[in-house]
Amino acid sequence: AAFARVSGGGKFLDLADYLAYRATDHVHDARSLCTVVCKWNYDAMPGGGGLGWDADFFAKVGFAADELDETVIGSKVLAPGQPIEGGLGATAAAKLGLPPGTAVGVGMIDAHAGGVGVLGARIPSAPQAQAPAQASELESRIALICGTSTCHMASSQEDVFVPGVWGPYFSAMFDGLYLTEGGQSAAGKLLDHMIETHAAYPDLADEAAAAGVAPSEALNARLARLAREAAVPLHELTRSVHVTPDFAGNRSPLAAPEMRGGVVGLSLASSVDDLAVLYLAAVQALAYQTRHILDALDDAGHAPITAVFACGGLTKNAVYTQTHADALRRPIYLPKEDEAVLVGAAVLGAAAGGAHGSVSEAMASMTSVGACVAPSPDADADAFHQRKYWVFRRMTEDQQAYQQIMLHGQPQH
């Protein structure tokens, strides 16, 4: 049905490109380098070496020569933040209450806009607080866009191929840099699932409602109390409970959709206290998987990543951010503005409208760090997370071994 519409004069556009196309009253159908490189296999390699649309690839995956011509998939591909010819169309302008001709910028994928909304911010202790971040700074940072799922956005000056991690995509997020993109298919969704399917959830929901807080906040408070009563650091409550978070498969760094979640250390208890410990183990598992992704980047030769810039709903969870800082052994920088994805989109609009000379200048002016969550200086805490990380890696490898046994029979020794 889609091809029938296209044959009648339709087009294929990614959502970000469609919104810009509609803003021009369906006149200018420019595509974003971000959308077509990341989702449509557009080859934008530097130095004139890129193939653009790769007809050979389309043929190999079953498209006829006349099914995906440039009138359908786009002949003009522009960098995010570039102005689109003509700007806002008259019809769209009337609906939005804006003047016709208002600048319309080339957009990008939502998570990538989150990267733009946080990664260019200056670290408060750094000199020249308003200077655009240099390429060497950007490649030492990674963005965590963390909500229902999580995207891990890293940049590099050289192309780095990381098994199980998407990319490298040239100029897909920052002009002249390669983007490497990891991810977790379920993050906030995983925590919600583990909380809401537990036998103690009705009691927790009542407790949270009485306190006027979210269930996760009630669990965080309960964890703090349990740690005080046991006279141990909060993270040590999970010494005997371990989780792998692949309930919706492993996106990175294994690229294994057949993987599933695992829990070791369950007992017959089913109280809210037990739910709290299980929830904490799941938070830790998400952090250890992000460390696994960072280790994969490092093993593949990516420039060392020394700082994490995080945004999204999960960053409002203090246990989540502190656990990540401790497990990753890196500071977590949080944006001053809550909606970093929207800030990233505004950065593109400001560049397109000429308020700033470039996307990098707009990032330096419009984004800032609101808080820093530092890793614990406690050597015992670091050692604990190292041991838990080893358990996490062993559990992941063991599940892969189980799958091989079920496919092929008795394991080889």
Side-chain angles (χ1 to χ4, degrees), residues 17 30 39-40 46 78 140 166 168 179 183 197 212 250 267 292 350-351 377 389:
D17 297 330
K39 294 188 178 181
W40 288 78
L78 300 175
S140 71
W166 297 354
L179 169 67
T197 59
N250 184 291
S267 71
H292 194 187
Y389 180 59

Side-chain angles (χ1 to χ4, degrees), residues 191-198 201 204 215-216 219 275 279:
L191 300 181
D192 289 345
H193 172 78
M194 297 195 76
I195 292 170
E196 293 170 6
T197 59
H198 195 277
Y201 177 65
L204 171 66
S216 58
L219 288 173
L275 169 55
Y279 153 80

